[in-house]
Amino acid sequence: MIGVATYTDPRPTALSGERERSLLEKHSQLVEFLRKEGFEVLDINAELGKYGSFENGNNFGIDSMEDSLRGARIALSRGISGIIFGLWHWTESNLVTAFVKEANVPVLLYTDDDPAWAGSTCVTSVGASLWESAVNEYALRHFRIKGNLDGVLSWVRAVESVKKLSLARILLFGAPYTLGMEHLMDDLPRLKGIIGDFIMLDQYLIVKNAEEVPGERVESFYRWLTSKTRVEFDGKMLTPESLKRQIRLYLAAKDLVGSESIGVSIKCQPELSEIYGTTACLIPAFLPFELDAEGEKPVIPTTCEGDVKGTISSSLLFLLSGKPPLFGDIKYVDDDVVIIANCGAASLYYAKLSEDPEENLKATTLRGQCQGKSGAALGYRTPKATFTFARLIRRGGKHYLLYFLGEGLEIDEDLENKLLWGRQWPHTAIRNPLDKETFIEVMGANHLSAVPGDYRRELRFVARIWGVKAVDLNDRSEVRAFLEGL
């Protein structure tokens, strides 16, 4: 829920009536615009009875400390994700400061481009007062937008996503980190400033539950999977038996996850891939996909190798876009191309980028893995599209949010023929936003997350709300500043 509150000048003037009619119209249009875009709006002025007050000859806008504090307490009691202040004309800044102090939520100061009223004066005055008073972090890190409703939508998506993450839980199967990769770990108690909770379960629970999955459920899934995708059994790594073991692992994990987690990471190596003897590749393929043999299901962002920050990055992109996120390794980099390929599977949505899940399944091929003792890799080549990539990293105990817009490229025959290790994996090729040396130098992880579309503005909003530095890899000056800070 997003709050909207419009303020006004407490002083009566010759234009008071005309001013208040204009404020009522602008406020109502903004509220209606947000509702039409699918957001739940808490109209603070309505909660304060300002519509009826205006009809009785009083101001429509909030014009007193009493109403400002009452509005803030209403907003606080309703659990809003953030507040948009409609500052279409002058108001006394301390009224807004009091609301911000009491409500303690992300803040957007908004006005339009109407030259009839002093919106620009009000936004700069209120913004400066929030910086000066610094009553809380949201006052310091507030946002200002003028006449850009697309920018308002981006801000709303950002604060809604931040709120949902702050209440959600991330499920980690297996104790990070995997294969000695220390950057996959993090300070989990500290991260509870942005994530509701972390649940850590031993992978033994998956193995134990896998053994108890009814045989007919496994067989039904097997028949469905082998009919919907291309399967190339090799008599060694990929056999009907090993595929059924992978199905058991997936169904067990699916049952354990339920619908309460916003993101999941499976460690897999070496406990499942080597000791249990079968890779868990169906888990990152189907959990972040809307369909399996048992019907439609929720999309749950899923990463591999116990990657804490990767799971947060994927979950954030999912909340911003509503699309299943891609996750994978930075497999190859040169001056022209970056290839992302996860070790065995990633969301099957990227096999075709189709809204029809059946089309994505048709474009998926199961082949024997190149690592582990047995199992299938679920491979495809992602079609050309525009993607937003993101990665939360930590350097010297300080978090950064790396992101960039990536132009998808076709993996042509020449490049395909050069692939050897992991050729059976899902691959996504994009144009390098930098050069090979700078791209490698700036990366704080070997994993990236992505979704189709452009969500760079939302990511910048999220980073400031979280209080972390955002680094746009499409902007070489930001990259240089990040690297010079070493």
Side-chain angles (χ1 to χ4, degrees):
M1 183 186 296
I2 296 295
V4 178
T6 286
Y7 278 72
T8 192
D9 189 343
R11 302 167 298 178
T13 71
L15 293 175
S16 290
E18 187 175 350
R19 178 195 69 210
E20 295 305 308
R21 280 191 295 274
S22 178
L23 294 183
L24 170 60
E25 181 181 354
K26 294 173 186 293
H27 176 93
S28 300
Q29 287 176 347
L30 178 58
V31 168
E32 184 61 23
F33 169 75
L34 292 172
R35 286 176 174 161
K36 284 184 176 179
E37 291 294 329
F39 296 105
E40 186 178 359
V41 178
L42 178 64
D43 186 337
I44 300 296
N45 293 63
E47 296 289 327
L48 294 174
K50 288 294 184 176
Y51 289 86
S53 180
F54 172 70
E55 293 170 358
N56 293 325
N58 297 313
N59 286 339
F60 170 76
I62 298 171
D63 58 4
S64 70
M65 186 62 72
E66 178 185 5
D67 275 351
S68 195
L69 290 172
R70 190 156 64 95
R73 288 163 188 156
I74 291 171
L76 188 62
S77 70
R78 299 287 290 277
I80 63 170
S81 303
I83 180 73
I84 301 173
F85 291 109
L87 304 179
W88 324 97
H89 187 58
W90 175 259
T91 192
E92 294 177 358
S93 300
N94 65 331
L95 300 180
V96 179
T97 300
F99 191 116
V100 173
K101 181 178 181 180
E102 188 75 13
N104 197 31
V105 294
V107 172
L108 172 63
L109 310 181
Y110 183 74
T111 192
D112 59 14
D113 286 319
D114 187 353
W117 306 104
S120 296
T121 307
C122 192
V123 166
T124 51
S125 172
V126 170
S129 294
L130 291 176
W131 281 349
E132 182 73 28
S133 60
V135 291
N136 53 40
E137 291 299 313
Y138 297 120
L140 281 172
R141 299 199 294 263
H142 71 268
F143 300 87
R144 309 175 196 181
I145 295 179
K146 186 174 189 288
N148 182 353
L149 289 175
D150 286 339
V152 173
L153 287 180
S154 294
W155 180 85
V156 171
R157 281 192 287 266
V159 297
E160 291 277 77
S161 299
V162 167
K163 178 75 171 186
K164 289 173 183 176
L165 280 174
S166 74
L167 299 174
R169 73 178 196 178
I170 281 177
L171 176 57
L172 303 173
F173 282 116
Y177 41 86
T178 299
L179 304 178
M181 290 184 282
E182 295 158 323
H183 65 279
L184 303 184
M185 193 51 182
D186 209 296
D187 184 344
L188 299 189
R190 181 181 174 188
L191 282 174
K192 286 191 178 182
I194 61 176
I195 301 294
D197 201 4
F198 294 90
I199 308 299
M200 302 182 72
L201 299 178
D202 195 285
Q203 292 182 110
Y204 172 70
L205 287 175
I206 297 178
V207 173
K208 180 178 181 296
N209 286 17
E211 301 296 337
E212 298 173 0
V213 174
E216 179 48 40
R217 190 180 177 198
V218 175
E219 292 295 333
S220 176
F221 199 111
Y222 176 83
R223 291 191 296 271
W224 176 86
L225 181 60
T226 53
S227 69
K228 298 294 184 181
T229 63
R230 180 181 178 184
V231 183
E232 298 180 2
F233 293 112
D234 58 19
K236 183 180 179 182
M237 289 295 289
L238 179 54
T239 64
E241 292 72 28
S242 66
L243 182 56
K244 290 175 184 179
R245 280 165 65 87
Q246 287 185 300
I247 291 170
R248 285 184 175 276
L249 290 175
Y250 165 70
L251 292 174
K254 176 186 174 183
D255 293 345
L256 287 166
V257 170
S259 59
E260 298 179 6
S261 299
I262 192 63
V264 172
S265 192
I266 178 74
K267 183 170 181 278
C268 186
Q269 302 182 75
E271 296 89 349
L272 299 179
S273 62
E274 298 288 345
I275 300 171
Y276 181 69
T278 304
T279 57
C281 297
L282 266 64
I283 294 174
F286 278 104
L287 281 184
F289 191 58
E290 62 186 301
L291 181 74
D292 67 15
E294 298 177 326
E296 294 184 1
K297 50 178 281 300
V299 169
I300 302 176
T302 303
T303 70
C304 298
E305 299 175 337
D307 188 345
V308 174
K309 291 183 283 294
T311 311
I312 294 173
S313 304
S314 291
S315 300
L316 172 60
L317 287 172
F318 171 62
L319 290 173
L320 291 175
S321 68
K323 299 290 186 181
L326 178 75
F327 173 83
D329 286 288
I330 301 167
K331 189 181 178 191
Y332 175 75
V333 179
D334 67 21
D335 287 335
D336 299 317
V337 65
V338 176
I339 294 181
I340 310 299
N342 203 37
C343 63
S347 172
L348 298 185
Y349 172 71
Y350 290 84
K352 201 71 174 177
L353 289 173
S354 173
E355 297 308 311
D356 180 357
E358 298 277 353
E359 292 298 314
N360 298 312
L361 289 165
K362 287 179 185 177
T364 301
T365 301
L366 279 68
R367 296 185 178 94
Q369 255 286 20
C370 62
Q371 59 190 29
K373 286 194 175 180
S374 73
L378 292 86
Y380 52 77
R381 301 295 181 257
T382 303
K384 292 169 61 175
T386 299
F387 305 96
T388 299
F389 285 82
R391 175 70 198 196
L392 184 67
I393 70 167
R394 187 165 60 152
R395 185 180 76 181
K398 183 177 180 181
H399 286 100
Y400 298 83
L401 185 60
L402 307 185
Y403 70 100
F404 64 96
L405 195 67
E407 176 191 349
L409 300 174
E410 182 182 353
I411 298 179
D412 58 25
E413 185 177 353
D414 180 58
L415 184 54
E416 182 75 33
N417 289 335
K418 293 177 181 178
L419 299 176
L420 180 60
W421 172 253
R423 187 173 184 175
Q424 59 273 72
W425 299 348
H427 284 65
T428 303
I430 59 168
R431 192 176 306 282
N432 191 342
L434 298 162
D435 58 81
K436 62 184 178 183
E437 291 184 358
T438 307
F439 189 91
I440 290 293
E441 189 176 7
V442 77
M443 272 300 143
N446 58 307
H447 294 154
L448 283 172
S449 302
V451 289
D454 186 353
Y455 295 92
R456 289 175 293 175
R457 184 162 48 191
E458 286 85 347
L459 289 170
R460 291 196 79 86
F461 286 143
V462 168
R464 195 196 298 184
I465 294 168
W466 280 350
V468 305
K469 176 67 175 175
V471 182
D472 183 357
L473 302 196
N474 297 119
D475 186 332
R476 287 182 176 269
S477 63
E478 289 194 14
V479 174
R480 282 196 303 271
F482 173 77
L483 294 174
E484 289 169 0
L486 284 168

